[in-house]
C-alpha cells in the first residue's frame, strides 16, 4: 500500500470516528434531556397527587372541612388545592401542581391536575353488619356468612363457620372448639380478617329527607301526625315501573284510595321517605330506589313486609361454565334499599307463611329484622331468603330450632360492592370513589 492510500485510510478512520463521537455525544445529551424531562414530569405529577392526598387526609380527620390552599410550596414547586361539596354529601378535591423544569427540551413551568371525588362509605357494602353482637350468640360449623362482615362488638364462633367476604371487628374474636360436636375452633376467613376496625353505626335521616325533598317523594301528615304509608311496587312492562301508594294516620284502620304513579315522575332520584310513621311494603321493583320511614319518639318507624319484595330481573343467574353455581346477572338493573329507623318486620300473614323472598339491602337502625309475633308456637313458615344485605343494630329472632318461624338464608348482592341504592345510609367518614389525573 502506497503513501497516498495510507493517508486516505487515516482520513477515513478519522472521519468515521468523528461521526461516531458526534452521534454518541448527541445521544448522551438527548438521554440526559429525556431523563431530566421524565424527572420533571414525574415530580410535577407527584406534587399534584400529594396535594390531593393532603386534602383527603384533612377530610378523613374532619369530614366537615372545605377550603383551599393557594401556591403552597412543596418539593420545589407549588400546589393549589380547592375542596368543594356537591350533590348533598359528595366532596370534590382539585389539586393543581406547578413546577419549573425541562419540558419539550426547554426550561419552563408546567402544571399537572388531579381531581378526586369522595363520598361517605355506604353500609350497603356489607353483606352483614351488626352494631351489637349478642352475648352467648355463636356462629357455628355449618354457618356461611356471605359477603363483607363487620361487628362493632366481639365476634363469637364455635367450630368452623365460613366467611366468604372480608371480616372486620372492633373488639376482636373469641373462637371456641371441641364443644357440642362442632369440631375444632377453626373459623374460615376466605377473604381475610382484621381487628380492631371501628365502623360506628349512625343514621342521618336529614340527608335522606333532603334528597326526598330535592327530587324524590316525601310522605308526611300536614298536621304533623305519624303516618302509615303502603307501597306496592309493580312491573308494568315499561322501562320504569309503577308504584301504588295509599296512606292512613298511624293507629287508624282505613287506608286512603290507592294512587298509581309512574316511579320516574313520583321520585326521579329514587328516594321515597315517610318522615315519621310506618311503611308497608311489597311487590316487584323496576329501577333503583331507597325507601324508608322515620320514627316519632320511641314508637313507629317500622317497615312491614307484607309479601315478597323482589326485582323485575333476578340479580343471580346460573353460571353456564360452572353448573350448580350462580353468578351476578348483568341484565339486572334493579336495586332497592330499605331503611327503618326502628326495624324491618315480616308480617305474619297468609302470603308470608310459605317462605318470603327479599331483594334489598335492609337497614335496621333500632333493632334487626324479625317476624311479627315471633314465638316458638308459630308454624314453620319456610325460608326467609334475603338477597342483598342485612344491616342491623342487634340481631333478632326469625326462627326457632323446633321449626317455628323461618329458616334464614342471606346472600350478598355483589353489585353493592361498587354501587349503592340512592342515598342509602352511610358512615360519617369519607372514602375515595374516583381519581382523575
Amino acid at each position: 500500500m502506497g503513501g497516498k492510500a495510507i493517508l486516505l485510510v487515516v482520513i477515513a478512520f478519522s472521519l468515521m470516528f468523528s461521526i461516531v463521537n458526534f452521534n454518541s455525544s448527541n445521544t448522551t445529551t438527548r438521554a440526559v434531556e429525556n431523563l431530566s424531562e421524565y424527572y420533571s414530569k414525574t415530580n410535577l405529577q407527584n406534587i399534584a397527587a400529594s396535594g390531593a392526598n393532603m386534602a383527603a387526609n384533612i377530610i378523613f380527620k374532619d369530614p366537615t372541612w372545605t377550603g383551599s390552599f393557594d401556591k403552597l410550596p412543596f418539593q420545589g414547586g407549588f400546589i393549589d388545592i380547592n375542596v368543594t361539596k356537591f350533590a348533598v354529601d359528595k366532596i370534590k378535591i382539585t389539586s393543581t401542581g406547578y413546577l419549573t423544569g425541562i419540558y419539550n427540551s426547554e426550561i419552563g413551568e408546567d402544571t399537572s391536575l388531579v381531581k378526586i371525588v369522595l363520598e361517605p362509605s355506604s353500609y350497603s357494602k356489607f353483606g352483614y353488619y351488626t352494631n351489637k353482637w349478642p352475648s352467648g350468640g355463636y356462629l357455628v360449623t355449618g354457618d356461611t356468612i356471605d359477603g363483607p362482615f363487620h361487628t362493632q362488638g366481639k365476634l363469637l364462633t364455635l367450630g368452623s363457620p365460613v366467611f366468604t367476604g372480608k371480616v372486620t371487628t372492633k373488639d376482636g374474636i373469641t373462637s371456641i372448639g371441641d364443644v357440642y360436636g362442632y369440631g375444632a375452633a377453626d373459623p374460615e376467613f376466605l377473604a381475610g380478617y382484621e381487628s380492631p376496625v371501628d365502623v360506628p353505626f349512625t343514621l342521618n335521616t336529614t340527608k335522606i329527607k333532603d334528597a326526598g325533598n330535592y327530587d324524590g317523594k316525601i310522605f308526611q301528615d300536614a298536621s304533623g301526625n305519624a303516618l302509615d304509608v303502603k307501597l306496592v311496587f309493580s312491573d308494568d312492562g315499561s322501562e320504569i315501573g309503577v308504584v301504588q301508594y295509599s296512606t292512613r294516620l298511624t293507629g287508624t284502620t282505613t287506608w286512603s284510595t290507592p294512587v298509581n304513579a309512574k316511579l320516574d315522575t313520583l321520585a326521579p332520584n329514587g328516594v321515597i321517605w315517610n318522615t315519621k310513621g310506618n311503611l308497608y311494603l311489597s311487590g316487584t321493583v323496576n329501577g333503583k330506589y331507597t325507601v324508608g320511614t322515620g320514627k316519632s319518639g320511641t314508637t313507629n318507624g317500622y317497615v312491614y313486609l307484607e309479601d315478597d319484595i323482589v326485582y323485575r330481573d333476578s340479580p343471580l343467574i346460573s353460571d353456564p361454565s360452572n353448573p350448580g353455581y350462580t353468578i351476578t346477572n348483568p341484565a339486572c338493573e334493579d336495586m332497592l334499599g330499605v331503611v327503618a329507623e326502628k326495624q324491618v318486620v315480616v308480617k305474619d300473614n297468609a302470603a308470608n307463611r310459605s317462605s318470603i323472598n327479599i331483594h334489598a339491602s335492609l337497614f335496621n337502625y333500632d333493632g334487626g329484622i324479625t317476624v311479627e309475633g315471633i314465638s316458638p308456637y308459630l308454624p314453620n313458615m319456610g325460608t326467609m331468603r334475603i338477597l342483598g344485605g342485612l344491616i342491623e343494630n342487634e340481631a333478632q329472632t326469625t326462627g326457632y330450632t323446633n321449626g317455628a318461624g323461618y329458616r334464614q338464608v342471606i346472600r350478598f348482592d355483589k353489585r353493592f360492592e361498587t354501587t349503592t341504592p340512592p342515598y342509602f345510609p352511610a358512615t360519617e367518614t369519607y372514602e375515595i370513589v374516583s381519581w382523575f389525573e
Side-chain angles (χ1 to χ4, degrees):
M1 181 177 291
K4 288 184 179 179
I6 292 174
L7 181 58
L8 289 174
V9 170
V10 171
I11 291 173
F13 272 105
S14 297
L15 182 59
M16 184 178 65
F17 284 130
S18 296
I19 293 172
V20 170
N21 184 54
F22 173 78
N23 288 337
S24 177
S25 298
N26 193 38
T27 300
T28 301
T29 301
R30 279 187 293 168
V32 172
E33 288 177 351
N34 289 339
L35 181 61
S36 299
E37 186 164 344
Y38 174 79
Y39 170 80
S40 297
K41 288 184 176 179
T42 301
N43 199 21
L44 177 59
Q45 186 179 22
N46 289 339
I47 289 173
S50 297
N53 278 310
M54 285 189 287
N57 188 52
I58 296 174
I59 293 169
F60 292 152
K61 294 179 179 178
D62 179 9
T64 65
W65 182 76
T66 57
S68 62
F69 294 103
D70 295 325
K71 297 299 181 186
L72 182 69
F74 188 79
Q75 280 190 314
F78 299 92
I79 314 171
D80 284 347
I81 301 172
N82 190 41
V83 177
T84 57
K85 286 196 173 184
F86 69 104
V88 182
D89 58 356
K90 293 185 179 181
I91 293 178
K92 181 173 72 176
I93 298 173
T94 303
S95 174
T96 305
Y98 303 84
L99 180 68
T100 298
I102 296 178
Y103 307 101
N104 298 320
S105 302
E106 294 183 357
I107 296 177
E109 185 181 78
D110 203 354
T111 62
S112 180
L113 179 64
V114 172
K115 293 181 180 179
I116 61 177
V117 175
L118 302 92
E119 64 181 21
S121 182
S122 176
Y123 288 105
S124 66
K125 293 181 178 179
F126 291 104
Y128 185 28
Y129 173 105
T130 177
N131 185 40
K132 301 174 183 176
W133 190 261
S135 175
Y138 288 84
L139 291 173
V140 303
T141 302
D143 288 338
T144 299
I145 306 300
D146 193 33
F149 170 91
H150 178 81
T151 178
Q152 283 291 84
K154 175 178 282 190
L155 175 62
L156 306 178
T157 67
L158 177 57
S160 55
V162 177
F163 300 83
T164 66
K166 183 173 182 179
V167 175
T168 54
T169 68
K170 182 181 178 184
D171 295 333
I173 180 173
T174 296
S175 298
I176 298 175
D178 297 324
V179 179
Y180 308 123
Y182 284 110
D186 185 26
E188 295 185 52
F189 302 113
L190 302 184
Y193 168 75
E194 183 179 357
S195 183
V197 175
D198 187 14
V199 185
F201 192 45
T202 61
L203 173 61
N204 186 346
T205 58
T206 300
K207 293 180 180 178
I208 298 179
K209 285 187 284 189
D210 286 348
N213 278 315
Y214 174 66
D215 205 18
K217 175 64 178 178
I218 292 289
F219 286 98
Q220 59 185 359
D221 178 64
S223 300
N225 299 308
L227 194 69
D228 288 350
V229 177
K230 178 179 290 189
L231 299 177
V232 181
F233 286 87
S234 61
D235 173 24
D236 65 348
S238 62
E239 185 175 350
I240 301 295
V242 300
V243 66
Q244 183 184 84
Y245 66 85
S246 53
T247 63
R248 69 182 183 190
L249 292 179
T250 300
T252 63
T253 58
T254 304
W255 289 100
S256 65
T257 302
V259 176
N260 292 313
K262 294 286 290 183
L263 280 162
D264 56 347
T265 55
L266 180 72
N269 68 4
V271 173
I272 302 175
W273 182 254
N274 181 19
T275 56
K276 61 180 180 182
N278 302 306
L279 184 65
Y280 293 77
L281 195 62
S282 62
T284 301
V285 176
N286 183 355
K288 295 182 179 179
Y289 300 95
T290 291
V291 301
T293 187
K295 66 181 181 181
S296 174
T298 58
T299 61
N300 55 70
Y302 295 90
V303 174
Y304 292 102
L305 302 181
E306 296 196 300
D307 202 343
D308 289 355
I309 181 76
V310 297
Y311 301 145
R312 173 185 47 171
D313 296 313
S314 174
L316 292 178
I317 56 174
S318 297
D319 185 352
S321 62
N322 213 351
Y325 291 85
T326 56
I327 58 175
T328 299
N329 179 9
C332 180
E333 298 179 347
D334 310 316
M335 187 171 283
L336 180 65
V338 176
V339 181
E341 198 163 355
K342 287 291 288 186
Q343 63 185 117
V344 178
V345 180
V346 177
K347 292 286 289 183
D348 177 19
N349 57 24
N352 291 336
R353 283 202 167 187
S354 56
S355 299
I356 183 169
N357 294 300
I358 305 166
H359 292 174
S361 186
L362 306 171
F363 187 96
N364 302 259
Y365 186 64
D366 205 14
I369 188 169
T370 188
V371 181
E372 185 181 51
I374 185 72
S375 79
Y377 306 105
L378 274 182
N380 185 313
M381 300 172 72
T383 303
M384 177 191 297
R385 297 182 181 86
I386 300 174
L387 181 49
L390 179 60
I391 301 97
E392 55 190 16
N393 182 48
E394 187 171 15
Q396 307 293 310
T397 301
T398 56
Y400 291 88
T401 55
N402 68 355
Y406 290 104
R407 183 177 74 91
Q408 191 180 62
V409 176
I410 303 174
R411 290 284 304 273
F412 178 58
D413 187 339
K414 290 187 177 181
R415 298 177 302 158
F416 289 148
E417 291 177 340
T418 55
T419 308
T420 68
Y423 300 97
F424 195 77
T427 65
E428 294 299 321
T429 56
Y430 283 80
E431 64 178 2
I432 296 172
V433 295
S434 299
W435 186 292
F436 307 97
E437 291 190 17

